[in-house]
Every structure is written in structure tokens, then in C-alpha cells.
Amino acid sequence: MILSLDASTQRGSAALVHGRQVARELFPETPRGRGVALFNALEELLRDAPTIRRVVVGVGPGSYNGVRSAIATAWGIATARKIPLVGISSVLGLDDGEYFALGDARRQQYFLAQVSRGYFVIEPSLLTREQLEAELQKAPHLPIFASAPIEFLPKVILRTPSAARLGALAADLPPDDPQPLYLKAAHITTPKRVNKRP
């Protein structure tokens, strides 16, 4: 039995996968990687399957906090149970066929990946709006998935990663040390200087 989880979007996912069959999957809300819903879902799944042989975690791209908390949680479970841990890109878990996966990376940038049956045709990369539209035109027949609406792309299909799909894809992958899939540095604001009175 495999425990798989993802928190790269507002709607997280946690699943138990036996071989390549889904035993159970839950979809807790994980706004900005916060809240206890994901932990409650994991606790419920682990009650159903106390014996698991590996942990799979989605590594993004997506929510900075969500990806980090999912990896830390997966690492904790795998370490405590002394079982293998595997990281896999979250966007591979959107569908079983061929598709584009994209998201708003803020500050007038977008990420785009092209996936076919669980493998990257084009790995996630940062693009401007113009570059994104040009790439989408190269395969206009493919569905376009995103976790939130993209204002200038009305044909976007709203979908979040499935931990069950990720678990099935990573069932036979070698263990690794999952790292967040960040396409750019986190945007951090520095505090304003305050003039103190003498």
C-alpha cells in the first residue's frame, strides 16, 4: 500500500494506492498550504491502512507553502516508519492522457508544462503571456488544465492534482530526496524602516 499526498493547490489530495488501484482518495481544502484538513485526511487514511510500504508526495509547481508543508509531512511519515519516500511533479497528476498544465506564477508570468500519459513532453517552465499563448497554439487540440481561472484563457478546465494518480505513477520509481519544484525565487517583502525617536 502506498500513501500519496499533494498540497500544491487550494484543494489538496491524499490517497491510498494498492499497486496501481486506488483504495481511497480524499480531497481536503489546503488554502495556501494552511489548515489542518490535510493532516486530518492523512490520519484517517493511515487508520484505514496502518501498514504502508512507501510515501509519494507532489513537489509542485504550485503553492510555495503548500509544497513545502506536503514534503515535510511526507518526510516525517516516511522517516518515522522507515519506508521509502518519492517526490513527483504535481502537474503529472492532473489526467491520464495528454494535456497542457498551467498556472499563474504572479507578476505577469505563467508556468506551462505539456504532459502525455504521465511523462513530460515539455517540462514546467516560466513564460510571459505572449509566450504562453504561442505555446498553446502549437497543439490547440489539447485540453488545458489549471487549478484556478486564467482570465484570458476561457477554455481552461479547472482541475487539481490527484494524489492517487501521483501514487500510481511513482509506484515503481526509486526513492529520492524530494525537493520543491520552484520555477522562481519566492517573493519576499522586507519590512519598512521605522525611524525611532532618540
PDB file of all heavy atoms in Angstrom, residues 20 88-89 91-93 95-99 113-124 168-170 172-173:
ATOM      1  N   ARG A  20      -1.563  -0.299  -8.641  1.00  0.00           N
ATOM      2  CA  ARG A  20      -1.993   0.878  -9.407  1.00  0.00           C
ATOM      3  C   ARG A  20      -3.490   1.136  -9.247  1.00  0.00           C
ATOM      4  O   ARG A  20      -4.082   1.905  -9.988  1.00  0.00           O
ATOM      5  CB  ARG A  20      -1.612   0.711 -10.881  1.00  0.00           C
ATOM      6  CG  ARG A  20      -0.097   0.673 -11.071  1.00  0.00           C
ATOM      7  CD  ARG A  20       0.306   0.740 -12.520  1.00  0.00           C
ATOM      8  NE  ARG A  20       1.757   0.714 -12.625  1.00  0.00           N
ATOM      9  CZ  ARG A  20       2.541   1.779 -12.563  1.00  0.00           C
ATOM     10  NH1 ARG A  20       2.013   2.962 -12.363  1.00  0.00           N
ATOM     11  NH2 ARG A  20       3.838   1.665 -12.686  1.00  0.00           N
ATOM     12  N   ILE A  88       7.339  13.596  -6.880  1.00  0.00           N
ATOM     13  CA  ILE A  88       6.942  13.616  -8.282  1.00  0.00           C
ATOM     14  C   ILE A  88       6.220  14.934  -8.556  1.00  0.00           C
ATOM     15  O   ILE A  88       5.520  15.455  -7.685  1.00  0.00           O
ATOM     16  CB  ILE A  88       6.051  12.389  -8.606  1.00  0.00           C
ATOM     17  CG1 ILE A  88       5.722  12.320 -10.093  1.00  0.00           C
ATOM     18  CG2 ILE A  88       4.800  12.371  -7.750  1.00  0.00           C
ATOM     19  CD1 ILE A  88       5.052  11.007 -10.509  1.00  0.00           C
ATOM     20  N   SER A  89       6.401  15.473  -9.750  1.00  0.00           N
ATOM     21  CA  SER A  89       5.771  16.762 -10.062  1.00  0.00           C
ATOM     22  C   SER A  89       4.245  16.657  -9.964  1.00  0.00           C
ATOM     23  O   SER A  89       3.628  15.741 -10.512  1.00  0.00           O
ATOM     24  CB  SER A  89       6.144  17.223 -11.475  1.00  0.00           C
ATOM     25  OG  SER A  89       5.437  18.413 -11.795  1.00  0.00           O
ATOM     26  N   VAL A  91       1.897  18.349 -11.374  1.00  0.00           N
ATOM     27  CA  VAL A  91       1.107  18.503 -12.602  1.00  0.00           C
ATOM     28  C   VAL A  91       0.987  17.203 -13.390  1.00  0.00           C
ATOM     29  O   VAL A  91       0.146  17.099 -14.285  1.00  0.00           O
ATOM     30  CB  VAL A  91       1.645  19.636 -13.503  1.00  0.00           C
ATOM     31  CG1 VAL A  91       1.554  20.974 -12.787  1.00  0.00           C
ATOM     32  CG2 VAL A  91       3.058  19.369 -13.970  1.00  0.00           C
ATOM     33  N   LEU A  92       1.793  16.187 -13.049  1.00  0.00           N
ATOM     34  CA  LEU A  92       1.642  14.890 -13.708  1.00  0.00           C
ATOM     35  C   LEU A  92       0.373  14.176 -13.231  1.00  0.00           C
ATOM     36  O   LEU A  92      -0.069  13.217 -13.862  1.00  0.00           O
ATOM     37  CB  LEU A  92       2.864  14.010 -13.432  1.00  0.00           C
ATOM     38  CG  LEU A  92       4.185  14.499 -14.031  1.00  0.00           C
ATOM     39  CD1 LEU A  92       5.338  13.610 -13.568  1.00  0.00           C
ATOM     40  CD2 LEU A  92       4.126  14.559 -15.546  1.00  0.00           C
ATOM     41  N   GLY A  93      -0.211  14.661 -12.159  1.00  0.00           N
ATOM     42  CA  GLY A  93      -1.399  14.025 -11.594  1.00  0.00           C
ATOM     43  C   GLY A  93      -2.714  14.653 -11.985  1.00  0.00           C
ATOM     44  O   GLY A  93      -3.727  14.452 -11.313  1.00  0.00           O
ATOM     45  N   ASP A  95      -4.332  14.298 -15.108  1.00  0.00           N
ATOM     46  CA  ASP A  95      -5.134  13.485 -16.021  1.00  0.00           C
ATOM     47  C   ASP A  95      -4.286  12.311 -16.496  1.00  0.00           C
ATOM     48  O   ASP A  95      -3.057  12.324 -16.347  1.00  0.00           O
ATOM     49  CB  ASP A  95      -5.595  14.338 -17.216  1.00  0.00           C
ATOM     50  CG  ASP A  95      -6.720  13.689 -18.000  1.00  0.00           C
ATOM     51  OD1 ASP A  95      -7.862  13.703 -17.509  1.00  0.00           O
ATOM     52  OD2 ASP A  95      -6.465  13.164 -19.092  1.00  0.00           O
ATOM     53  N   ASP A  96      -4.938  11.323 -17.103  1.00  0.00           N
ATOM     54  CA  ASP A  96      -4.206  10.159 -17.602  1.00  0.00           C
ATOM     55  C   ASP A  96      -3.756  10.307 -19.055  1.00  0.00           C
ATOM     56  O   ASP A  96      -2.953   9.519 -19.530  1.00  0.00           O
ATOM     57  CB  ASP A  96      -5.075   8.902 -17.481  1.00  0.00           C
ATOM     58  CG  ASP A  96      -5.377   8.567 -16.032  1.00  0.00           C
ATOM     59  OD1 ASP A  96      -4.500   8.788 -15.181  1.00  0.00           O
ATOM     60  OD2 ASP A  96      -6.499   8.101 -15.759  1.00  0.00           O
ATOM     61  N   GLY A  97      -4.283  11.294 -19.779  1.00  0.00           N
ATOM     62  CA  GLY A  97      -3.984  11.439 -21.197  1.00  0.00           C
ATOM     63  C   GLY A  97      -2.913  12.472 -21.488  1.00  0.00           C
ATOM     64  O   GLY A  97      -1.965  12.648 -20.734  1.00  0.00           O
ATOM     65  N   GLU A  98      -3.113  13.197 -22.600  1.00  0.00           N
ATOM     66  CA  GLU A  98      -2.172  14.247 -22.997  1.00  0.00           C
ATOM     67  C   GLU A  98      -2.834  15.597 -22.789  1.00  0.00           C
ATOM     68  O   GLU A  98      -4.006  15.787 -23.139  1.00  0.00           O
ATOM     69  CB  GLU A  98      -1.754  14.068 -24.464  1.00  0.00           C
ATOM     70  CG  GLU A  98      -0.642  15.013 -24.879  1.00  0.00           C
ATOM     71  CD  GLU A  98      -0.039  14.683 -26.239  1.00  0.00           C
ATOM     72  OE1 GLU A  98      -0.519  13.746 -26.887  1.00  0.00           O
ATOM     73  OE2 GLU A  98       0.897  15.396 -26.643  1.00  0.00           O
ATOM     74  N   TYR A  99      -2.074  16.549 -22.227  1.00  0.00           N
ATOM     75  CA  TYR A  99      -2.670  17.830 -21.879  1.00  0.00           C
ATOM     76  C   TYR A  99      -1.594  18.874 -21.615  1.00  0.00           C
ATOM     77  O   TYR A  99      -0.414  18.556 -21.456  1.00  0.00           O
ATOM     78  CB  TYR A  99      -3.556  17.702 -20.634  1.00  0.00           C
ATOM     79  CG  TYR A  99      -2.855  17.137 -19.424  1.00  0.00           C
ATOM     80  CD1 TYR A  99      -2.216  17.962 -18.501  1.00  0.00           C
ATOM     81  CD2 TYR A  99      -2.827  15.762 -19.197  1.00  0.00           C
ATOM     82  CE1 TYR A  99      -1.570  17.442 -17.390  1.00  0.00           C
ATOM     83  CE2 TYR A  99      -2.181  15.233 -18.081  1.00  0.00           C
ATOM     84  CZ  TYR A  99      -1.563  16.084 -17.182  1.00  0.00           C
ATOM     85  OH  TYR A  99      -0.916  15.561 -16.089  1.00  0.00           O
ATOM     86  N   ALA A 113       3.409  23.376 -18.696  1.00  0.00           N
ATOM     87  CA  ALA A 113       4.010  22.070 -18.948  1.00  0.00           C
ATOM     88  C   ALA A 113       3.103  21.335 -19.928  1.00  0.00           C
ATOM     89  O   ALA A 113       1.889  21.574 -19.960  1.00  0.00           O
ATOM     90  CB  ALA A 113       4.149  21.272 -17.661  1.00  0.00           C
ATOM     91  N   GLN A 114       3.685  20.469 -20.718  1.00  0.00           N
ATOM     92  CA  GLN A 114       2.902  19.585 -21.566  1.00  0.00           C
ATOM     93  C   GLN A 114       3.176  18.157 -21.116  1.00  0.00           C
ATOM     94  O   GLN A 114       4.332  17.750 -20.970  1.00  0.00           O
ATOM     95  CB  GLN A 114       3.265  19.752 -23.042  1.00  0.00           C
ATOM     96  CG  GLN A 114       2.374  18.928 -23.972  1.00  0.00           C
ATOM     97  CD  GLN A 114       2.710  19.133 -25.441  1.00  0.00           C
ATOM     98  OE1 GLN A 114       3.348  20.112 -25.809  1.00  0.00           O
ATOM     99  NE2 GLN A 114       2.284  18.212 -26.272  1.00  0.00           N
ATOM    100  N   VAL A 115       2.106  17.415 -20.873  1.00  0.00           N
ATOM    101  CA  VAL A 115       2.204  16.074 -20.307  1.00  0.00           C
ATOM    102  C   VAL A 115       1.517  15.076 -21.225  1.00  0.00           C
ATOM    103  O   VAL A 115       0.470  15.374 -21.817  1.00  0.00           O
ATOM    104  CB  VAL A 115       1.551  16.037 -18.905  1.00  0.00           C
ATOM    105  CG1 VAL A 115       1.578  14.636 -18.313  1.00  0.00           C
ATOM    106  CG2 VAL A 115       2.225  17.029 -17.972  1.00  0.00           C
ATOM    107  N   SER A 116       2.098  13.901 -21.343  1.00  0.00           N
ATOM    108  CA  SER A 116       1.463  12.810 -22.085  1.00  0.00           C
ATOM    109  C   SER A 116       1.600  11.522 -21.292  1.00  0.00           C
ATOM    110  O   SER A 116       2.712  11.058 -21.041  1.00  0.00           O
ATOM    111  CB  SER A 116       2.106  12.651 -23.471  1.00  0.00           C
ATOM    112  OG  SER A 116       1.495  11.581 -24.180  1.00  0.00           O
ATOM    113  N   ARG A 117       0.472  10.992 -20.833  1.00  0.00           N
ATOM    114  CA  ARG A 117       0.413   9.714 -20.120  1.00  0.00           C
ATOM    115  C   ARG A 117       1.428   9.603 -18.973  1.00  0.00           C
ATOM    116  O   ARG A 117       2.133   8.610 -18.839  1.00  0.00           O
ATOM    117  CB  ARG A 117       0.581   8.562 -21.100  1.00  0.00           C
ATOM    118  CG  ARG A 117      -0.591   8.454 -22.068  1.00  0.00           C
ATOM    119  CD  ARG A 117      -0.365   7.434 -23.159  1.00  0.00           C
ATOM    120  NE  ARG A 117      -1.483   7.450 -24.097  1.00  0.00           N
ATOM    121  CZ  ARG A 117      -1.658   8.350 -25.068  1.00  0.00           C
ATOM    122  NH1 ARG A 117      -0.793   9.332 -25.212  1.00  0.00           N
ATOM    123  NH2 ARG A 117      -2.701   8.294 -25.868  1.00  0.00           N
ATOM    124  N   GLY A 118       1.507  10.664 -18.188  1.00  0.00           N
ATOM    125  CA  GLY A 118       2.351  10.633 -17.002  1.00  0.00           C
ATOM    126  C   GLY A 118       3.796  11.028 -17.204  1.00  0.00           C
ATOM    127  O   GLY A 118       4.588  10.946 -16.269  1.00  0.00           O
ATOM    128  N   TYR A 119       4.155  11.483 -18.399  1.00  0.00           N
ATOM    129  CA  TYR A 119       5.527  11.923 -18.687  1.00  0.00           C
ATOM    130  C   TYR A 119       5.500  13.325 -19.283  1.00  0.00           C
ATOM    131  O   TYR A 119       4.557  13.697 -19.976  1.00  0.00           O
ATOM    132  CB  TYR A 119       6.215  10.968 -19.678  1.00  0.00           C
ATOM    133  CG  TYR A 119       6.420   9.584 -19.137  1.00  0.00           C
ATOM    134  CD1 TYR A 119       5.484   8.580 -19.379  1.00  0.00           C
ATOM    135  CD2 TYR A 119       7.532   9.278 -18.357  1.00  0.00           C
ATOM    136  CE1 TYR A 119       5.653   7.304 -18.874  1.00  0.00           C
ATOM    137  CE2 TYR A 119       7.714   7.996 -17.847  1.00  0.00           C
ATOM    138  CZ  TYR A 119       6.773   7.028 -18.111  1.00  0.00           C
ATOM    139  OH  TYR A 119       6.944   5.759 -17.593  1.00  0.00           O
ATOM    140  N   PHE A 120       6.563  14.067 -19.042  1.00  0.00           N
ATOM    141  CA  PHE A 120       6.650  15.408 -19.607  1.00  0.00           C
ATOM    142  C   PHE A 120       7.053  15.368 -21.076  1.00  0.00           C
ATOM    143  O   PHE A 120       8.042  14.736 -21.436  1.00  0.00           O
ATOM    144  CB  PHE A 120       7.673  16.265 -18.844  1.00  0.00           C
ATOM    145  CG  PHE A 120       7.175  16.756 -17.517  1.00  0.00           C
ATOM    146  CD1 PHE A 120       7.828  16.412 -16.344  1.00  0.00           C
ATOM    147  CD2 PHE A 120       6.053  17.563 -17.443  1.00  0.00           C
ATOM    148  CE1 PHE A 120       7.371  16.861 -15.117  1.00  0.00           C
ATOM    149  CE2 PHE A 120       5.582  18.026 -16.223  1.00  0.00           C
ATOM    150  CZ  PHE A 120       6.245  17.670 -15.061  1.00  0.00           C
ATOM    151  N   VAL A 121       6.281  16.052 -21.894  1.00  0.00           N
ATOM    152  CA  VAL A 121       6.689  16.374 -23.265  1.00  0.00           C
ATOM    153  C   VAL A 121       7.478  17.677 -23.204  1.00  0.00           C
ATOM    154  O   VAL A 121       8.512  17.825 -23.832  1.00  0.00           O
ATOM    155  CB  VAL A 121       5.467  16.513 -24.193  1.00  0.00           C
ATOM    156  CG1 VAL A 121       5.884  16.937 -25.601  1.00  0.00           C
ATOM    157  CG2 VAL A 121       4.670  15.210 -24.233  1.00  0.00           C
ATOM    158  N   ILE A 122       6.949  18.618 -22.411  1.00  0.00           N
ATOM    159  CA  ILE A 122       7.633  19.881 -22.097  1.00  0.00           C
ATOM    160  C   ILE A 122       7.600  20.031 -20.585  1.00  0.00           C
ATOM    161  O   ILE A 122       6.525  20.045 -19.980  1.00  0.00           O
ATOM    162  CB  ILE A 122       6.945  21.093 -22.756  1.00  0.00           C
ATOM    163  CG1 ILE A 122       6.925  20.957 -24.277  1.00  0.00           C
ATOM    164  CG2 ILE A 122       7.627  22.394 -22.338  1.00  0.00           C
ATOM    165  CD1 ILE A 122       6.095  22.027 -24.969  1.00  0.00           C
ATOM    166  N   GLU A 123       8.764  20.124 -19.954  1.00  0.00           N
ATOM    167  CA  GLU A 123       8.820  20.280 -18.502  1.00  0.00           C
ATOM    168  C   GLU A 123       8.335  21.663 -18.092  1.00  0.00           C
ATOM    169  O   GLU A 123       8.381  22.608 -18.891  1.00  0.00           O
ATOM    170  CB  GLU A 123      10.245  20.027 -18.011  1.00  0.00           C
ATOM    171  CG  GLU A 123      10.664  18.584 -18.215  1.00  0.00           C
ATOM    172  CD  GLU A 123      11.821  18.176 -17.344  1.00  0.00           C
ATOM    173  OE1 GLU A 123      12.229  18.953 -16.465  1.00  0.00           O
ATOM    174  OE2 GLU A 123      12.315  17.055 -17.553  1.00  0.00           O
ATOM    175  N   PRO A 124       7.868  21.831 -16.848  1.00  0.00           N
ATOM    176  CA  PRO A 124       7.360  23.129 -16.407  1.00  0.00           C
ATOM    177  C   PRO A 124       8.391  24.242 -16.592  1.00  0.00           C
ATOM    178  O   PRO A 124       9.559  24.087 -16.232  1.00  0.00           O
ATOM    179  CB  PRO A 124       7.071  22.908 -14.918  1.00  0.00           C
ATOM    180  CG  PRO A 124       6.842  21.447 -14.797  1.00  0.00           C
ATOM    181  CD  PRO A 124       7.762  20.813 -15.800  1.00  0.00           C
ATOM    182  N   ALA A 168       0.181   6.169  -8.174  1.00  0.00           N
ATOM    183  CA  ALA A 168       0.280   5.104  -9.181  1.00  0.00           C
ATOM    184  C   ALA A 168       1.485   5.328 -10.094  1.00  0.00           C
ATOM    185  O   ALA A 168       2.206   4.388 -10.432  1.00  0.00           O
ATOM    186  CB  ALA A 168      -1.010   5.030  -9.994  1.00  0.00           C
ATOM    187  N   LEU A 169       1.725   6.590 -10.483  1.00  0.00           N
ATOM    188  CA  LEU A 169       2.858   6.898 -11.365  1.00  0.00           C
ATOM    189  C   LEU A 169       4.198   6.632 -10.679  1.00  0.00           C
ATOM    190  O   LEU A 169       5.169   6.248 -11.326  1.00  0.00           O
ATOM    191  CB  LEU A 169       2.804   8.361 -11.813  1.00  0.00           C
ATOM    192  CG  LEU A 169       1.714   8.734 -12.817  1.00  0.00           C
ATOM    193  CD1 LEU A 169       1.642  10.248 -12.976  1.00  0.00           C
ATOM    194  CD2 LEU A 169       1.961   8.058 -14.166  1.00  0.00           C
ATOM    195  N   ALA A 170       4.238   6.852  -9.373  1.00  0.00           N
ATOM    196  CA  ALA A 170       5.503   6.716  -8.633  1.00  0.00           C
ATOM    197  C   ALA A 170       5.640   5.373  -7.931  1.00  0.00           C
ATOM    198  O   ALA A 170       6.572   5.182  -7.147  1.00  0.00           O
ATOM    199  CB  ALA A 170       5.621   7.849  -7.613  1.00  0.00           C
ATOM    200  N   ASP A 172       6.736   2.538  -8.814  1.00  0.00           N
ATOM    201  CA  ASP A 172       7.977   1.798  -9.052  1.00  0.00           C
ATOM    202  C   ASP A 172       9.209   2.693  -9.187  1.00  0.00           C
ATOM    203  O   ASP A 172      10.281   2.212  -9.553  1.00  0.00           O
ATOM    204  CB  ASP A 172       7.832   0.940 -10.321  1.00  0.00           C
ATOM    205  CG  ASP A 172       6.691  -0.059 -10.193  1.00  0.00           C
ATOM    206  OD1 ASP A 172       6.571  -0.667  -9.119  1.00  0.00           O
ATOM    207  OD2 ASP A 172       5.923  -0.208 -11.159  1.00  0.00           O
ATOM    208  N   LEU A 173       9.048   3.992  -8.929  1.00  0.00           N
ATOM    209  CA  LEU A 173      10.197   4.890  -9.042  1.00  0.00           C
ATOM    210  C   LEU A 173      11.151   4.670  -7.868  1.00  0.00           C
ATOM    211  O   LEU A 173      10.715   4.340  -6.762  1.00  0.00           O
ATOM    212  CB  LEU A 173       9.735   6.351  -9.067  1.00  0.00           C
ATOM    213  CG  LEU A 173       8.941   6.804 -10.282  1.00  0.00           C
ATOM    214  CD1 LEU A 173       8.543   8.278 -10.130  1.00  0.00           C
ATOM    215  CD2 LEU A 173       9.722   6.597 -11.573  1.00  0.00           C
TER     216      LEU A 173
END
